[in-house]
Amino acid sequence: MNQIDFVELLNHSQLASHTEIAVYGTDSSSQFGQIWRPAGDGPYPAVMFLHGGCWSSAFDLRHARGFCQALAECGFLVWLPEYRRVGESGGGWPGTFFDVNEAARWFWATWGSQIDPDRCFLAGHSAGAHLALWLNDRQLGLASSVRDAAKPWRRVLALAPITDLERYSRGQASCQLMASALLASAESVRPDLLSPRPDQMVAGVTVFYSRLDAIVPPEQCLVFAAASGCELIEMPEAGHFDFVHSETTAGRAVINFLKGLSDGS
């Protein structure tokens, strides 16, 4: 199965059932998330997953639930946080960035004793991959404080990531217009500080991408990989949403990649 659309992805996630709902902040009703706790006793391999959706309040975490459940079925403790997005109160800069930062802090503070520190991963898709890479920046996100606490992510997986907001926002597609809105929300901040810096990654990064991606041009991945020296994996037949659907070729490849990291292979 390849080249699915967003409706197919959303339908795939409708029946996914999480273990519990958690609240990580008090500033917004969007500061919550869903936890999948695998069978058995911890410590568990763990994944914090940041969903995509163009940083827009039109898209929430529901479309990523099926993928997160598939990871839990493979033995991962999974944390899928919601966050404030452009179009809702507090969304954009700094709220969106603050929220993913706080969601990560909450995950470590609440579940740290149940997480295997050698098998903890940060992953994100599309706009969520942009935020995951931003969190992994040595100075911009949470990476330095997590590293100082001796709890680094073992690896960051960026699935079809948007890596350069300024360049991406020059287009006129709907997601590119949302990138413009995100940048506009940070008028007093240097625009480059809203994008991850490829030479400042703390944990090792693996980027999955496709040249057939109609939403994120492959140059967003190729240029970042060349500048950072990160691992780059091409899925030649994948569409943009395939990476987070557990029954597509690309989705299975991502899950198997994480399983391989967790198993030490």
Side-chain angles (χ1 to χ4, degrees):
M1 181 189 301
N2 294 301
Q3 296 284 330
I4 65 162
D5 61 24
F6 181 76
V7 173
E8 290 175 283
L9 177 62
L10 188 59
N11 289 338
H12 174 69
S13 291
Q14 290 293 347
L15 298 179
S17 57
H18 53 279
T19 305
E20 61 185 81
I21 294 177
V23 174
Y24 66 84
T26 59
D27 296 329
S28 168
S29 60
S30 289
Q31 292 175 322
F32 76 98
Q34 297 178 352
I35 289 278
W36 282 260
R37 183 171 185 165
D41 298 324
Y44 307 104
V47 177
M48 173 170 155
F49 189 84
L50 297 176
H51 73 82
C54 306
W55 312 276
S56 171
S57 60
F59 304 100
D60 60 16
L61 55 70
R62 284 178 294 175
H63 68 272
R65 286 163 39 88
F67 190 73
C68 289
Q69 179 166 299
L71 289 173
E73 291 170 352
C74 293
F76 289 95
L77 171 69
V78 184
W79 168 229
L80 173 63
E82 189 56 275
Y83 50 88
R84 284 174 287 182
R85 288 140 288 142
V86 176
E88 65 178 295
S89 179
W93 180 267
T96 297
F97 297 81
F98 175 86
D99 285 359
V100 295
N101 202 348
E102 288 304 298
R105 291 183 186 277
W106 178 91
F107 189 43
W108 285 111
T110 306
W111 288 91
S113 64
Q114 293 295 306
I115 295 173
D116 182 339
D118 294 322
R119 298 187 294 165
C120 52
F121 309 101
L122 174 62
H125 174 242
S126 193
H130 156 259
L131 294 170
L133 293 171
W134 184 87
L135 278 179
N136 192 46
D137 190 291
R138 194 174 305 277
Q139 299 298 327
L140 299 180
L142 180 68
S144 58
S145 59
V146 170
R147 182 191 55 191
D148 292 342
K151 293 180 179 177
W153 309 107
R154 179 178 170 193
R155 181 155 287 269
V156 176
L157 269 67
L159 314 178
I162 298 161
T163 61
D164 185 333
L165 287 178
E166 289 183 281
R167 182 176 295 276
Y168 188 70
S169 68
R170 296 170 190 168
Q172 294 300 309
S174 58
C175 199
Q176 292 170 308
L177 293 175
M178 289 307 303
S180 296
L182 181 64
L183 287 170
S185 71
E187 291 180 337
S188 61
V189 178
R190 279 174 33 208
D192 61 297
L193 295 182
L194 274 68
S195 293
R197 298 173 298 176
D199 61 343
Q200 296 295 319
M201 294 292 98
V202 176
V205 173
T206 298
V207 169
F208 281 79
Y209 82 106
S210 173
R211 295 180 188 273
L212 299 183
D213 193 326
I215 294 178
V216 177
E219 289 75 18
Q220 287 281 320
C221 305
L222 297 171
V223 172
F224 183 89
S228 66
C230 73
E231 183 176 22
L232 185 65
I233 298 177
E234 181 180 3
M235 300 302 299
E237 303 299 323
H240 183 70
F241 300 108
D242 291 20
F243 294 103
V244 285
H245 190 301
S246 60
E247 296 178 7
T248 64
T249 301
R252 288 194 299 269
V254 172
I255 292 171
N256 288 334
F257 184 85
L258 277 167
K259 288 170 61 178
L261 290 177
S262 178
D263 295 340
S265 58

